[in-house]
Amino acid sequence: MKEMSSTMPGGQQPQKHYGITSAISLAPPREIDRQYTKKLCDAMKPFGVFEDEEELNHRLAVLGKLNNFVKEWIAEISELKNLPPSAISCVGGKIFTFGSYRLGVHTKGADIDALCVAPRHVERSDFFQSFFEKLKQHEEIKDLRAVEDAFVPVIKFKFDGIEIDLLFARLALQSIPDNLDLRGDSILRNLDIRCIRSLNGCRVTDEILYLVPNKENFRLTLRAIKLWAKRRGIYSNMLGFLGGVSWAMLVARTCQLYPNAVAATLVHKFFLVFSKW
């Protein structure tokens, strides 16, 4: 799903195209397409696919608290490992989100997939021991459990009513800045396989968002396709069907093939493209 551009004749601006082939159609949306998109939104509302402002703000507040909590813990660990005070003050640490929440297509009451990124002196054992204990003492955190021997090790908990699955990755960096970008391959150097697996979710999600022509059209289309798949019982990685990331990739590819289309058109084209794939 690479982003490319092709040169236009007569010295015009190059026409950017997304993916490994050029678009099937560059047609702009008609008024009727916009009307159908509004009808599509209205049809999805009763199924709880859209979150209200209050719940959205609550999630942001919880993630903000968790981010501060992680920074505090990393500073404490750094002190225990005798880092100089000047280094402790800028050691950082950050929570990244991925999955449906990061894509902007999560439904009401859905959990949040998150990743704790720490600098090189913080070990995975610290995360599953001292951070786990720190979470245990927090009054807003309930149903806390660690699954350390999973394919992708995770700590699961409810933070002020919101379910969070938290992964851990330790990067080969002295500090973790707030503006860290996980998309570059250079950050994978010298990492153990569990850290690479933990980073995969964030990197894939960010790459998908980077490679779609219009994020809002992509999100609305994906919400519709996910609802359709769930209603028909074919949305499940564990049961051998396609999971969230796979559906997202298929919708992203449709968006690349019809870069100017709105959601109602994209839903139609999704079935047209993949029924003939």
Side-chain angles (χ1 to χ4, degrees), residues 21-263:
T21 62
S22 53
I24 290 173
S25 169
L26 295 170
R30 302 162 300 168
E31 185 52 38
I32 189 78
D33 299 326
R34 297 185 196 282
Q35 288 170 21
Y36 280 140
T37 298
K38 189 185 179 308
K39 284 182 178 177
L40 178 67
C41 278
D42 294 342
M44 288 196 287
K45 277 175 188 168
F47 296 98
V49 297
F50 300 107
E51 203 172 39
D52 58 39
E53 199 72 23
E54 191 182 347
E55 198 176 344
L56 202 62
N57 290 336
H58 180 48
R59 282 177 188 271
L60 288 171
V62 163
L63 284 168
K65 283 184 197 172
L66 186 59
N67 198 49
N68 292 336
F69 203 58
V70 160
K71 286 184 176 180
E72 195 181 289
W73 166 68
I74 289 174
E76 287 166 8
I77 287 285
S78 305
E79 203 172 335
L80 283 173
K81 297 193 178 186
N82 300 316
L83 262 72
S86 58
I88 293 169
S89 64
C90 60
V91 82
K94 192 175 177 191
I95 289 288
F96 289 85
T97 58
F98 61 100
S100 63
Y101 178 79
R102 173 74 182 98
L103 284 173
V105 296
H106 59 287
T107 52
K108 280 182 184 175
D111 64 353
I112 296 178
D113 295 307
L115 169 71
C116 168
V117 174
R120 64 190 180 199
H121 61 274
V122 180
E123 305 278 343
R124 182 169 289 276
S125 56
D126 297 324
F127 178 71
F128 281 100
Q129 288 163 21
S130 71
F131 186 66
F132 186 82
E133 287 305 315
K134 192 174 170 68
L135 286 171
K136 222 186 236 182
Q137 288 155 24
H138 198 295
E139 57 185 22
E140 287 182 291
I141 287 173
K142 305 275 186 288
D143 301 340
L144 179 66
R145 59 207 184 278
V147 192
E148 204 172 342
D149 54 357
F151 184 70
V152 182
V154 61
I155 292 179
K156 294 170 172 275
F157 54 92
K158 268 189 185 175
F159 193 148
D160 195 10
I162 289 174
E163 283 186 47
I164 295 175
D165 285 0
L166 187 62
L167 311 182
F168 175 82
R170 163 198 188 209
L171 301 187
L173 300 171
Q174 284 180 313
S175 63
I176 304 297
D178 281 339
N179 63 350
L180 179 69
D181 183 1
L182 298 177
R183 279 181 57 237
D185 289 346
S186 60
I187 64 154
L188 299 179
R189 280 187 204 132
N190 307 319
L191 298 190
D192 79 43
I193 188 65
R194 289 169 303 178
C195 287
I196 291 173
R197 283 182 196 141
S198 297
L199 286 161
N200 274 351
C202 287
R203 285 165 51 79
V204 167
T205 308
D206 286 355
E207 198 65 25
I208 288 172
L209 286 173
Y210 180 71
L211 290 170
V212 293
N214 182 306
K215 291 183 181 65
E216 284 314 305
N217 290 341
F218 164 73
R219 285 178 176 132
L220 191 52
T221 308
L222 183 52
R223 282 183 189 277
I225 297 300
K226 280 176 66 144
L227 177 61
W228 167 82
K230 284 176 179 176
R231 298 282 293 172
R232 277 153 184 76
I234 55 169
Y235 183 99
S236 172
N237 202 30
M238 283 163 67
L239 296 177
F241 298 108
L242 299 179
V245 174
S246 302
W247 290 112
M249 287 167 73
L250 296 184
V251 170
R253 185 66 187 124
T254 310
C255 291
Q256 290 182 336
L257 295 172
Y258 300 90
N260 300 322
V262 288

